[in-house]
Amino acid sequence: MSYGRGGYRRRHRDDYDDRRRESYETPEQKLRTAIIKLGEVDAVEELPRLQKQIQEHVPLNVANISEAFRIAVTEQPYKIPYYAALIRLLHEPSEAAQDSHGPSIGRLVLEDFWKGFQAYLDKLAWRETRLCIQLFAHLTVAHIVSPDSMLSLLQSFTAVLDEFGVSHGRAKRAALCAAEGLMISGPSLKPHSGTGVTDVINAIQAFNDTATTSKWLVRPMIRVYSEAVTIENGDELLDTVLYALKTLNDSDFSQTTDSFPQPYTNLPELDISTISHFDLPSVLVPPEVIELEGLSTETEEEAQVKKEEWPEYYLRLFDNEISPDPNTPAGYAVRTALLDTIAIFEVNRKECARLLLEYPKWNLPGAFKPKPGAPSDVEPAPGKDWQLESTLIETILGALLILPESSHKSIYYMSLITELCKLSPSTVGPAVGKSIRKLYSFLSEGLDVEGARRFAEWFAVHMSNFGFQWVWKEWVPDLALAVQHPRRTFIRRAVELEIRLSYHDRILKTLPEPMQSPDALTISEQAPGPDFEYDDPTNPHHDAAQSVLNLLRGRAKAEDVISHLDTLKTTLETSEEGHLNVDAIVRSIAVQSLLHIGSRSFSHLLNAIERYLPLLRNIASDGATGAGLNLEARAGILTAAASFWKNNRQMVGIVFDKLMQYQIVDPSDVVGWTFVNGSGIGQPRELVGPLSLNAFEWDLMRGALDKANGRVMIAKRKVAALRKEEDDTRAQAKARANEDTMEVDADTKQEEAPVDNPAMTTAIKALNSLTREQKAALSRTLEGFVSCLAASATDLNPNPHSRMVITEQAWHDRANWGNDEWNAWETWGWYRQFCRAYSPYLRTYATTLYTVSFARFEGSTDPAAELLKKIWNVAIGQDTS
Amino acid sequence: MAHVVTPLDQPSNYKDSQTRVDRQKQTELLAKSTTLYIGNLSFYTTEEQIYELFSKCASPEDGGGIKRIIMGLDRNTRTPCGFCFVEYYTHAEALASMRYVSGTKLDERIIRCDLDLGYKEGRQFGRGKSGGQVRDEHRQDYDPGRGGWGAQAQRMEVERRREVEERYADAQEGPGAVAGGGEEWKEVPGAVLETKKRARSPEEEAESARTAQRTRLEEEVEAERM
């Protein structure tokens, strides 16, 4: 048989082809590579050589060279000053073409580069735009670009800040373009137009002043009682920009030299007689494009899922002597360079880690301490001499802990830190350890609950990559704190997440003895297995459950199981005392038995659910043949599942997710269930207290909300795709019609366009159902929070402390808080996260949701109601205070 | 957006020796793939551990999530043999795993991810002569997480081993042996009558028509090869 051989031969040939494709480089490509790779060894020394190579390359291909510059500048921002120097060098006439009077290569490249910049701007590729502006700014100082045109360019970006109803995200990005351009070009702009410079700064300041209320909602250290937006352990991005700019302006930008490399300043003066300034053409920043537009459902207006609408706070973990203060020009320069590197190299975290560790090479000499053991002939720069690794970890963790969400998935930042540790364990490891300790100390200072959640997640993932080696011993004294104190919830959560990535015995062995003890409430005694409550022969329903289990094990048909359950109900009704809820018991037996046969693995669970979907649907509708709207039955399914997996909260989340996926329950069922039952699941009995939300319940709720929102997203895309298809078909039909009957009036043919499209009808109907469900899930969440935090006397099991923990006095007295106080505080934290993370969705239904949940507080002076409304209004963007 | 470095989310040069699609078709399929092959797993790593790590690349708010995990089993012993497939709902999630998870540790082993053409019946079993993965046929080192030299195992893992060995004893072969994981949301027809077969929605009809068509296509391709 030639099967195997044939396959082998083909694979062999393919590999050969691939190799050949990769290895062949045209001279043009070679030149591009040479430009992009500038500075592999020493940029300053390589510059004249590269200048010569470009000038001597024949034939001159300006587009090719400027393409290389565009890639180089937008993907290697740390090299921008050197590319500015190269363009400056290329303005000198080449030796070969000394007698030619045409424009220099530098000028031609710059003109072509500008077209690329214009294209980035048209696409609103903000980062690329900003990095090109950095290049222009350097070129202004290098006397290539005219200061006048540079200032107008910056003003085009500050003009965005004055647009009516400009979003925070757009304004922030435009402000960064103007600010970074000014920081670098300031030395040339200030002498040219002092008022122009001040105007740019004032415009950014004026915008930043309008962002105060939104800052309050995303500051990483919670102070609910306070309006203050400055924090001790971190800085907001635009605040740092303004501090740095003002410092620069106060000293007439003399500090620019100290903050950004300027390799072009040492070059010999250009011959002014032959070279005129390049005037940057004037630009207009185009308006934002709205995605997925024009889809009208019959409900309220469309949700536009816009992200990054918030101010950005970065936590500081080290002192200014260890890592740079981003409020200084030099510190800001480091911060922005590192953040850009982290963002650009997201596609390859290993390269990213390598480049980050190489970063000092691109900053000024003496900015960072030399590598331990490396010979150093450079004097530490005064006020600098920072630790590279601490700076890197602080910046990465800062980006990870941005609220309401980081710009990349959390796992990216975690894996990036892992790569850094792998490249240089002896220097990065200690920085990671210190960062963990610092973040841990923030836990009792009000570290935001979402920040704390991500911290625990990072901790577990990091430990999973490094042998679970953590010195837990140093936290043993904290076992004296209240069980729900943020430090103890962090320890428990970190241990739980470690177990999920590993296994119980493995993690148990890493803990010191005082934490191993069951009394320490740190780790469960047993591995987190299932708990089939009818397993116990003394359980009154043991036999009934065994009969169901046997049917399921024997792969009985779903309808046979259903009829058996009916028989069971009848038997129970006649034999038991009347007050028992027979439906609930049989439901619980059936669900737990099903989960039992699916308890071996995730796949077993899926198999069990799929095999018995009709059974689950029957249970969910409680035998009713109506629309299947039986809330009690569905809550009962969730209760049975949560009870079965009470020792393994990961499985609770997985089962809920798949019950939603298979449409046994809806997201709004999960939300509703979580508020009523959640806080009791998988907690030691000591912790079952008044209604509150912890990280686990938040995860369940988030899973439900994301499911609801994700479904709407899919449905919208489907409608959009069908609409496009329809339009295309119609256009084609019209074109054909016009071709066929040139002489006939085209209008008469238009009726042939498809009027009725069943696929479209289905898709629109689905979108409407899902939009309703989305609204229901959001509404139930808001309702849940309101009844938790501003409970009326009639609400079930209210937390008595929800009004107390939001006062300043109470916060300062937190050393005396018990579990209920901390629970109430944490619930407030999740409410904040709910409002700010889901604000794009909430905004769509703002009016309805507000009326449903807040109308009752009209005229009320209840401080809890006031705060609920305030947080809501800030998130929705209706706060004008 | 990456001229300066090679992104980590590129598929490897692996070509499934048993697939019938050509290289170009394979590239097209991989460009949309939602499935990952995960290699170098410990034999003791559970689906839940895999779920925990890979859910960090999921984007449920974008209609994604982990659809299913298919554990690779030794053909003869029906025990995990060190690989699995993770199937997401979206391609972007698979790419995220390539970028952020491949090359990191799970259960203290560095795991490797590769974009995959998608699970096909029978692929859950090892293809090595002894029933496991081919690579374990030729391995000459001692690897406690992959069965040591032979049947040796570290003391600490004995208990895990016992559980694992029994876990998949019921693994089935043939069509329908592996669960789907739940499809996209569909309008549920009004009444749910347990005795009657649930009416099919138009989308399901369309789906099954497509499936039938795909099967036919594959048969044709198969016939061509013969």
Side-chain angles (χ1 to χ4, degrees):
Chain A
M1 201 166 105
S2 67
Y3 230 86
R5 267 194 66 84
Y8 177 73
R9 233 185 5 246
R10 180 184 307 165
R11 184 164 54 197
H12 186 76
R13 200 190 58 211
D14 275 8
D15 290 351
Y16 176 71
D17 288 350
D18 289 346
R19 234 189 353 260
R20 214 177 48 171
R21 260 201 302 279
E22 272 166 31
S23 63
Y24 182 69
E25 245 191 350
T26 64
E28 305 287 280
Q29 281 168 334
K30 273 193 193 129
L31 186 64
R32 279 207 328 235
T33 309
I35 295 170
I36 290 167
K37 293 216 160 147
L38 165 68
E40 295 267 283
V41 181
D42 184 322
V44 174
E45 289 203 356
E46 291 167 33
L47 277 171
R49 209 163 55 216
L50 187 54
Q51 173 196 4
K52 201 159 173 267
Q53 189 184 347
I54 295 170
Q55 285 174 334
E56 287 172 3
H57 187 92
V58 280
L60 173 65
N61 182 343
V62 173
N64 185 53
I65 300 168
S66 78
E67 168 75 3
F69 272 94
R70 275 197 292 275
I71 292 169
V73 165
T74 58
E75 296 188 27
Q76 307 173 102
Y78 39 85
K79 291 191 198 173
I80 289 175
Y82 301 92
Y83 287 112
L86 183 56
I87 289 190
R88 153 71 183 73
L89 283 171
L90 290 171
H91 274 72
E92 288 168 5
S94 68
E95 284 164 30
Q98 235 163 19
D99 44 333
S100 95
H101 293 289
S104 65
I105 297 181
R107 169 58 63 95
L108 294 172
V109 167
L110 191 51
E111 278 167 3
D112 200 68
F113 186 92
W114 174 266
K115 290 184 212 154
F117 166 74
Q118 185 70 57
Y120 291 133
L121 185 59
D122 290 344
K123 283 188 291 190
L124 285 175
W126 285 104
R127 186 181 62 223
E128 287 80 357
T129 301
R130 179 167 49 81
L131 295 175
C132 291
I133 292 174
Q134 285 189 13
L135 179 80
F136 299 140
H138 280 289
L139 287 172
T140 310
V141 182
H143 306 299
I144 298 292
V145 166
S146 73
D148 205 25
S149 69
M150 186 65 206
L151 188 59
S152 332
L153 179 67
L154 300 184
Q155 281 161 347
S156 314
F157 285 84
T158 50
V160 170
L161 307 180
D162 294 329
E163 288 171 5
F164 179 73
V166 62
S167 74
H168 188 91
R170 175 175 165 88
K172 175 171 72 184
R173 293 186 189 91
L176 291 181
C177 287
E180 293 185 5
L182 181 54
M183 285 181 199
I184 297 167
S185 64
S188 296
L189 297 197
K190 183 84 188 257
H192 175 76
S193 169
T195 53
V197 167
T198 317
D199 287 349
V200 169
I201 300 176
N202 288 345
I204 301 173
Q205 179 69 60
F207 170 74
N208 197 35
D209 290 343
T210 65
T212 318
T213 47
S214 36
K215 281 183 187 167
W216 172 74
L217 194 53
V218 291
R219 45 173 290 165
M221 306 295 280
I222 303 183
R223 293 284 182 284
V224 264
Y225 58 83
S226 156
E227 302 261 321
V229 292
T230 50
I231 59 168
E232 287 157 38
N233 311 305
D235 315 272
E236 200 281 325
L237 184 63
L238 280 188
D239 289 346
T240 60
V241 162
L242 282 162
Y243 277 121
L245 266 182
K246 284 176 185 164
T247 309
L248 283 168
N249 194 29
D250 289 348
S251 65
D252 292 337
F253 293 88
S254 62
Q255 283 190 49
T256 295
T257 309
D258 183 40
S259 312
F260 300 91
Q262 295 171 314
Y264 38 79
T265 46
N266 301 328
L267 300 175
E269 286 280 311
L270 274 176
D271 181 359
I272 309 285
S273 63
T274 55
I275 287 158
S276 57
H277 272 144
F278 179 73
D279 284 317
L280 302 168
S282 60
V283 294
L284 195 69
V285 182
E288 302 289 313
V289 197
I290 298 164
E291 277 177 50
L292 285 173
E293 64 183 332
L295 295 178
S296 64
T297 52
E298 282 142 39
T299 53
E300 299 186 36
E301 81 250 50
E302 280 309 299
Q304 305 295 346
V305 188
K306 278 196 241 154
K307 290 183 176 177
E308 288 181 82
E309 294 292 307
W310 299 95
E312 285 174 45
Y313 277 96
Y314 290 84
L315 280 172
R316 283 294 301 285
L317 305 176
F318 299 102
D319 294 339
N320 293 341
E321 295 78 54
I322 309 279
S323 67
D325 177 0
N327 295 304
T328 63
Y332 179 80
V334 172
R335 165 77 57 89
T336 188
L338 295 181
L339 286 177
D340 280 335
T341 306
I342 293 167
I344 291 167
F345 293 96
E346 172 267 337
V347 293
N348 189 327
R349 60 176 203 274
K350 295 178 186 191
E351 287 295 309
C352 186
R354 187 181 61 76
L355 290 162
L356 288 174
L357 286 172
E358 266 183 17
Y359 172 69
K361 163 175 167 182
W362 302 106
N363 203 302
L364 293 155
F368 290 93
K369 284 188 197 305
K371 276 183 203 151
S376 176
D377 44 1
V378 186
E379 282 292 302
K384 294 186 177 176
D385 200 26
W386 301 301
Q387 279 179 18
L388 174 65
E389 291 80 1
S390 300
T391 307
L392 297 179
I393 299 297
E394 181 183 72
T395 310
I396 298 169
L397 287 175
L400 166 69
L401 297 174
I402 294 280
L403 298 173
E405 60 183 351
S406 51
S407 34
H408 299 286
K409 286 192 179 301
S410 309
I411 184 75
Y412 167 53
Y413 304 97
M414 303 176 191
S415 296
L416 180 57
I417 293 177
T418 301
E419 295 305 327
L420 285 167
C421 286
K422 286 205 288 207
L423 284 177
S424 183
S426 60
T427 58
V428 182
V432 168
K434 281 183 208 146
S435 301
I436 291 174
R437 290 184 181 92
K438 191 72 181 179
L439 285 172
Y440 182 80
S441 78
F442 287 171
L443 288 167
S444 39
E445 304 301 319
L447 180 66
D448 187 274
V449 295
E450 170 66 13
R453 188 189 70 80
R454 275 181 238 164
F455 171 33
E457 196 182 353
W458 168 55
F459 180 90
V461 168
H462 188 81
M463 292 307 152
S464 173
N465 275 283
F466 294 98
F468 297 102
Q469 294 174 47
W470 179 250
V471 198
W472 289 98
K473 218 165 50 190
E474 61 192 74
W475 292 341
V476 165
D478 287 341
L479 294 179
L481 297 168
V483 180
Q484 289 300 85
H485 185 281
R487 290 191 179 184
R488 292 202 64 190
T489 50
F490 170 81
I491 294 176
R492 272 204 309 282
R493 179 134 177 114
V495 166
E496 181 180 338
L497 294 178
E498 281 192 353
I499 293 174
R500 290 187 192 181
L501 289 166
S502 181
Y503 53 99
H504 182 266
D505 283 359
R506 173 78 179 89
I507 302 307
L508 185 71
K509 287 192 169 65
T510 65
L511 296 177
E513 213 171 313
M515 286 185 168
Q516 290 183 343
S517 138
D519 309 332
L521 299 176
T522 299
I523 184 166
S524 57
E525 233 179 321
Q526 297 293 318
D531 185 17
F532 186 50
E533 93 183 62
Y534 307 100
D535 220 12
D536 180 357
T538 62
N539 184 297
H541 306 295
H542 172 80
D543 292 344
Q546 284 301 317
S547 67
V548 176
L549 202 53
N550 286 336
L551 281 176
L552 298 179
R553 279 185 179 143
R555 302 196 174 208
K557 280 186 191 156
E559 49 260 48
D560 294 342
V561 181
I562 292 166
S563 56
H564 178 73
L565 293 179
D566 287 339
T567 322
L568 262 185
K569 271 185 208 167
T570 323
T571 325
L572 282 174
E573 268 160 10
T574 49
S575 68
E576 306 254 5
E577 311 90 279
H579 66 266
L580 280 176
N581 184 343
V582 172
D583 283 345
I585 292 169
V586 173
R587 193 189 300 130
S588 169
I589 291 174
V591 172
Q592 290 207 19
S593 301
L594 186 63
L595 293 175
H596 190 66
I597 61 161
S599 65
R600 286 179 176 195
S601 75
F602 174 58
S603 293
H604 283 85
L605 169 73
L606 297 184
N607 273 315
I609 295 179
E610 276 186 18
R611 194 176 310 137
Y612 288 108
L613 269 181
L615 170 64
L616 280 168
R617 291 201 184 103
N618 177 273
I619 299 171
S621 60
D622 215 3
T625 49
L629 266 172
N630 193 324
L631 293 177
E632 192 197 324
R634 293 194 293 209
I637 292 177
L638 296 172
T639 303
S643 160
F644 182 81
W645 282 115
K646 63 170 171 277
N647 299 323
N648 186 335
R649 303 204 288 187
Q650 181 197 8
M651 284 307 297
V652 177
I654 293 177
V655 173
F656 281 17
D657 179 70
K658 284 301 175 186
L659 287 175
M660 289 189 283
Q661 191 69 46
Y662 286 104
Q663 293 175 248
I664 305 302
V665 298
D666 286 331
S668 56
D669 295 321
V670 173
V671 169
W673 182 92
T674 306
F675 272 107
V676 181
N677 305 280
S679 43
I681 295 304
Q683 291 275 23
R685 186 162 301 126
E686 293 84 334
L687 297 188
V688 179
L691 200 51
S692 62
L693 236 72
N694 299 128
F696 165 66
E697 288 82 39
W698 171 252
D699 279 347
L700 292 182
M701 220 150 62
R702 191 163 56 109
L705 292 172
D706 288 346
K707 183 77 78 190
N709 295 333
R711 282 176 174 168
V712 170
M713 184 67 81
I714 295 174
K716 272 185 191 166
R717 285 202 197 111
K718 199 167 273 176
V719 171
L722 283 168
R723 198 155 282 171
K724 186 173 179 299
E725 206 174 285
E726 239 179 41
D727 288 349
D728 290 352
T729 323
R730 206 173 288 139
Q732 273 172 16
K734 202 174 163 187
R736 221 175 301 123
N738 286 345
E739 256 170 46
D740 291 350
T741 56
M742 289 284 271
E743 65 278 14
V744 182
D745 184 8
D747 285 335
T748 57
K749 284 276 167 187
Q750 278 201 342
E751 283 154 36
E752 276 180 26
V755 235
D756 188 36
N757 179 348
M760 180 66 108
T761 316
T762 313
I764 288 177
K765 217 174 127 207
L767 178 57
N768 287 336
S769 298
L770 290 168
T771 308
R772 264 198 308 281
E773 172 55 26
Q774 177 187 45
K775 187 173 172 184
L778 293 167
S779 174
R780 280 185 90 163
T781 312
L782 184 60
E783 261 307 285
F785 275 116
V786 170
S787 55
C788 245
L789 294 169
S792 65
T794 55
D795 279 328
L796 282 170
N797 200 14
N799 188 319
H801 302 290
S802 66
R803 292 180 176 84
M804 186 274 282
V805 295
I806 56 179
T807 63
E808 180 164 11
Q809 197 192 351
W811 177 249
H812 293 309
D813 188 39
R814 65 187 180 281
N816 297 316
W817 282 6
N819 292 337
D820 289 350
E821 285 88 343
W822 281 116
N823 277 331
W825 181 83
E826 185 172 355
T827 310
W828 276 107
W830 292 121
Y831 174 64
R832 284 161 58 93
Q833 175 65 5
F834 166 65
C835 288
R836 63 197 177 200
Y838 292 98
S839 64
Y841 306 97
L842 294 172
R843 214 170 281 144
T844 316
Y845 313 112
T847 319
T848 322
L849 295 184
Y850 186 91
T851 313
V852 169
S853 292
F854 295 121
R856 74 187 79 153
F857 297 124
E858 200 58 56
S860 150
T861 52
D862 178 355
E866 291 295 297
L867 186 57
L868 281 165
K869 282 197 283 186
K870 182 177 173 192
I871 293 171
W872 168 269
N873 285 334
V874 172
I876 299 306
Q878 286 176 343
D879 192 277
T880 46
S881 63
Chain B
M1 172 58 221
H3 300 84
V4 183
V5 296
T6 315
L8 293 176
D9 53 19
Q10 305 294 302
S12 77
N13 224 6
Y14 175 80
K15 178 128 177 12
D16 184 351
S17 58
Q18 291 181 18
T19 187
R20 294 182 294 264
V21 297
D22 62 35
R23 187 59 80 166
Q24 193 195 340
K25 182 77 184 154
Q26 171 167 324
T27 311
E28 275 169 34
L29 288 173
L30 289 180
K32 290 184 291 190
S33 169
T34 59
T35 304
L36 293 166
Y37 165 89
I38 318 295
N40 199 34
L41 292 173
S42 155
F43 290 1
Y44 309 112
T45 298
T46 65
E47 292 180 28
E48 292 69 37
Q49 287 173 286
I50 296 164
Y51 190 103
E52 178 68 11
L53 183 61
F54 283 88
S55 63
K56 297 180 194 302
C57 292
S59 306
E61 71 287 353
D62 210 24
I66 294 185
K67 192 167 184 237
R68 56 179 174 173
I69 295 169
I70 297 159
M71 187 62 97
L73 300 177
D74 183 297
R75 211 174 340 106
N76 304 319
T77 63
R78 299 287 145 109
T79 56
C81 65
F83 75 97
C84 77
F85 298 99
V86 171
E87 188 174 338
Y88 287 104
Y89 285 99
T90 69
H91 177 57
E93 295 168 300
L95 292 183
S97 301
M98 295 284 287
R99 291 202 296 268
Y100 314 142
V101 170
S102 186
T104 68
K105 279 188 182 177
L106 177 60
D107 213 0
E108 310 189 50
R109 300 178 65 91
I110 291 182
I111 57 166
R112 188 178 71 80
C113 307
D114 197 2
L115 287 172
D116 192 88
L117 294 174
Y119 171 77
K120 287 259 166 59
E121 198 189 309
R123 283 193 68 196
Q124 73 268 48
F125 297 113
R127 289 170 179 173
K129 277 204 192 78
S130 61
Q133 281 199 278
V134 178
R135 53 166 285 201
D136 282 311
E137 301 284 328
H138 310 294
R139 193 162 52 76
Q140 302 215 335
D141 56 339
Y142 178 84
D143 191 340
R146 293 178 75 98
W149 303 112
Q152 300 180 53
Q154 282 184 337
R155 275 248 301 285
M156 201 155 132
E157 299 207 323
V158 166
E159 181 58 19
R160 292 178 81 199
R161 161 172 286 245
R162 196 178 56 73
E163 277 177 29
V164 167
E165 279 174 356
E166 290 166 5
R167 183 168 300 133
Y168 294 98
D170 60 343
Q172 306 276 311
E173 269 180 86
V178 172
E183 298 304 319
E184 253 177 46
W185 186 90
K186 289 187 192 82
E187 192 84 49
V188 179
V192 185
L193 290 174
E194 56 275 23
T195 43
K196 272 193 212 151
K197 230 187 144 186
R198 199 165 59 94
R200 293 177 134 228
S201 70
E203 272 172 84
E204 276 178 305
E205 299 284 7
E207 180 58 38
S208 61
R210 269 198 296 280
T211 317
Q213 198 179 12
R214 205 181 303 139
T215 318
R216 262 200 312 284
L217 265 173
E218 274 168 18
E219 277 161 8
E220 279 161 26
V221 175
E222 181 75 38
E224 251 167 59
R225 284 191 67 93
M226 288 301 158

